Amino acid sequence: MADERAIGIFDSGLGGLTVAKEIIRRLPQENIVYFGDTGRVPYGTKSRDTIRKYACQDERFLLEQNVKLIVAACGTVSSVAADTGEGLPVDFVEVVSHSVSAAVKATKNGKIGVLGTAATVRSGAHKKQILQQLPSATVVENAATLFVSLVEEGWYTADDPVVLETVRRYVEPMQAAGVDTLILGCTHFPVLSEAIARVMGKDVTLINMGAATAEVIAKMLEEKDMLNTASSQKHRFFVSDKADSFCKTASVLLGEKIDENLVETVHVDAL
């Protein structure tokens, strides 16, 4: 029997669409409900208590949409407030642990870099989990605080000198340490993959949290017989700020055009 309920995905803004893109690519038959908290982006500069509050509100909203699974497509929430998903009536998936497993599997020299928001790096979640799986690893973390703003402004092309110089500044510690694997620890960051890869070089493996998470979700839904086998597909998008400013950049990040009629604005106070 087809489980046509949607997969619920939330993020602080547009970056979570990179996770949605990977889920759609891996599970093209699934319906998606996406909530981008564009009115309160970014989460990465907020306090732990504020992040937890926002995460709970986002999860509550998605539950109201009758989703079958909730994905915290936000590196900050996954690092700081993943426990908010405990006790929900549906399965909850974060993005940190799956990217860590992919990085540990990929590294050859045991030197792993992590780029994240300030809150993500401060939490130490990636480093802790990497060392649990690979105690001999060297982990180099850096808070790429301007990356989210670049992506939200639509500045992410690899031929933009401003983008390249910003990337160089943030990855310098990773280059100095000789990492061969780099976790893009915020869902906005894969948008900058081409620029980051150009600076880091072809011998460094970039870990996309969305791709790693999509594989886990596919396996989970199959094992629980929750796949949507119906032919119909519908994606819905919600934001907490103006919908019209969302569509252009969101279409680029998702890799397909988003009809403005499919985007609704949600008042944050109502969450």
Side-chain angles (χ1 to χ4, degrees):
M1 183 176 179
D3 190 339
E4 298 183 51
R5 291 178 298 163
I7 296 172
I9 305 170
F10 75 89
D11 183 46
S12 60
L14 300 177
L17 288 166
T18 62
V19 177
K21 177 180 180 179
E22 296 298 333
I23 293 173
I24 292 171
R25 176 183 295 168
R26 180 65 180 81
L27 296 164
Q29 75 279 11
E30 295 294 335
N31 300 310
I32 298 294
V33 173
Y34 181 88
F35 173 65
D37 196 1
T38 52
R40 303 188 295 196
V41 68
Y43 284 7
T45 57
K46 306 295 194 301
S47 69
R48 178 182 293 268
D49 287 345
T50 298
I51 294 166
R52 290 177 59 82
K53 174 185 174 182
Y54 290 177
C56 289
Q57 291 175 328
D58 299 346
E59 291 156 10
R60 191 178 309 126
F61 172 73
L62 288 176
L63 288 175
E64 292 174 355
Q65 310 310 309
N66 191 33
V67 298
K68 61 184 176 184
L69 171 73
I70 290 181
V71 183
C74 176
T76 298
V77 170
S78 296
S79 300
V80 175
D83 61 328
T84 60
E86 297 175 2
L88 293 177
V90 298
D91 286 317
F92 176 85
V93 178
E94 44 75 35
V95 294
V96 169
S97 62
H98 312 305
S99 60
V100 164
S101 295
V104 169
K105 183 178 180 180
T107 187
K108 294 180 175 62
N109 67 6
K111 297 178 180 179
I112 300 172
V114 180
L115 287 172
T117 63
T120 293
V121 171
R122 191 164 56 243
S123 76
H126 287 87
K127 184 174 183 177
K128 180 180 178 181
Q129 292 186 37
I130 290 170
L131 293 176
Q132 286 174 343
Q133 295 186 37
L134 186 64
S136 62
T138 297
V139 183
V140 183
E141 300 176 289
N142 201 15
T145 52
L146 290 179
F147 278 8
V148 173
S149 297
L150 286 175
V151 172
E152 297 284 352
E153 287 293 330
W155 296 3
Y156 46 78
T157 58
D159 56 358
D160 187 324
V162 174
V163 172
L164 287 174
E165 182 57 31
T166 304
V167 169
R168 286 192 186 97
R169 297 285 185 97
Y170 285 127
V171 303
E172 186 176 7
M174 285 76 176
Q175 292 177 309
V179 305
D180 72 346
T181 305
L182 179 58
I183 296 175
L184 306 182
C186 171
T187 50
H188 286 72
F189 294 4
V191 182
L192 295 161
S193 292
E194 189 177 347
I196 295 171
R198 182 176 296 187
V199 175
M200 292 300 296
K202 60 183 177 59
D203 294 330
V204 176
T205 300
L206 303 185
I207 302 298
N208 181 332
M209 294 195 298
T213 303
E215 287 300 322
V216 171
I217 291 171
K219 183 177 180 180
M220 177 186 296
L221 294 181
E222 183 176 5
E223 288 178 347
K224 295 191 174 188
D225 196 24
M226 294 173 63
L227 290 169
N228 179 18
T229 56
S231 58
S232 62
Q233 182 196 62
K234 182 179 181 181
H235 302 322
R236 293 183 293 151
F237 304 90
F238 297 88
V239 293
S240 56
D241 203 353
K242 295 180 180 179
D244 55 359
S245 62
F246 169 85
C247 291
K248 183 178 180 181
T249 303
S251 295
V252 173
L253 302 188
L254 191 64
E256 61 182 68
K257 182 175 175 55
I258 297 177
D259 190 327
E260 287 188 18
N261 295 324
L262 296 179
V263 183
E264 299 180 39
T265 301
V266 177
H267 296 293
V268 175
D269 291 341
L271 295 179

